[in-house]
Amino acid sequence: CVADLVYWRDTRTSALVLTGIMVTLLSLLHFSIVSVGSYGALAMLGITITLRLGRKALQALRRSDGANPFQAQLDAELPLSQEQLERLTARFSRDFLAAAHTLRRLFLVEDLVDSIKFAFLFYILTYVGAVFNGLTLLILGKGGPPPTVYLSLHLFQAQIDQYVGLVRNQLSNLRLPALPGATQGP
């Protein structure tokens, strides 16, 4: 379950998943998605072929039955039934059409205010894009503190709010020196 991974209930599994995500994102920073996908598939095939050949070698030495080590996964049913697949497809097509309708409405200026807000969003995103690469934002989002820190923050929210208020108060009292040649206000 995703919640178990996010809340680190099983630290070993969460660490493996987080490491896999981080390695993939860091790889995408330096290589194209085609290269990362190809190398990932080659690594997986290298591992599975090695295990299969190892089992065959043990069979040749008469120390194993030579069965496919992945037979349980090959025999397992796919997790989605036909009804679930149809339901997911219907939901995806409904969401896709709703998004397409909204984008059409915004780009073709059906409502001027909404289109201006949308343009302002992209204007702000140009500044974010100038500072951060999209993959950097993904890494920052995925590589933040573990959820246990967030849970701790929730427990001490009153104290944190008190100190944040003190910092804001100090910053509001901070006065910057006037620039040379600038006129002083009232």
Side-chain angles (χ1 to χ4, degrees):
C1 181
V2 176
D4 292 340
L5 291 174
V6 171
Y7 289 119
W8 290 72
R9 293 189 181 120
D10 181 10
T11 55
R12 186 176 191 182
T13 304
S14 294
L16 286 172
V17 169
L18 180 66
T19 301
I21 290 171
M22 291 301 292
V23 166
T24 302
L25 290 175
L26 289 172
S27 298
L28 286 171
L29 278 174
H30 298 288
F31 305 108
S32 72
I33 193 165
V34 173
S35 295
V36 171
S38 298
Y39 284 124
L42 283 173
M44 182 178 278
L45 280 170
I47 292 168
T48 55
I49 290 172
T50 302
L51 289 172
R52 180 80 166 128
L53 289 175
R55 186 63 67 98
K56 285 288 189 183
L58 286 175
Q59 179 189 13
L61 296 173
R62 304 215 193 298
R63 294 187 181 183
S64 173
D65 60 355
N68 189 340
F70 306 108
Q71 194 61 46
Q73 288 81 12
L74 288 170
D75 292 338
E77 289 292 321
L78 291 178
L80 291 177
S81 68
Q82 186 67 26
E83 302 88 37
Q84 290 173 325
L85 189 60
E86 289 172 2
R87 207 171 334 127
L88 286 173
T89 304
R91 181 177 175 192
F92 174 76
S93 63
R94 186 175 53 248
D95 292 346
F96 179 78
L97 288 174
H101 175 69
T102 302
L103 289 174
R104 181 181 67 180
R105 187 179 64 79
L106 290 170
F107 278 110
L108 298 180
V109 194
E110 183 178 308
D111 182 12
L112 182 63
V113 175
D114 286 345
S115 293
I116 289 173
K117 290 178 187 176
F118 195 56
F120 184 70
L121 170 73
F122 282 115
Y123 180 72
I124 295 297
L125 286 177
T126 61
Y127 285 102
V128 172
V131 175
F132 295 106
N133 181 342
L135 287 172
T136 304
L137 291 175
L138 278 175
I139 290 171
L140 289 174
K142 293 290 179 193
T148 53
V149 174
Y150 293 125
L151 294 174
S152 305
L153 290 176
H154 179 69
L155 294 174
F156 300 105
Q157 189 66 42
Q159 293 90 343
I160 292 170
D161 287 342
Q162 176 186 358
Y163 288 115
V164 168
L166 289 173
V167 170
R168 283 186 180 165
N169 196 13
Q170 290 294 325
L171 288 175
S172 67
N173 293 334
L174 183 67
R175 300 225 183 246
L176 297 175
L179 295 173
T183 58
Q184 293 288 335

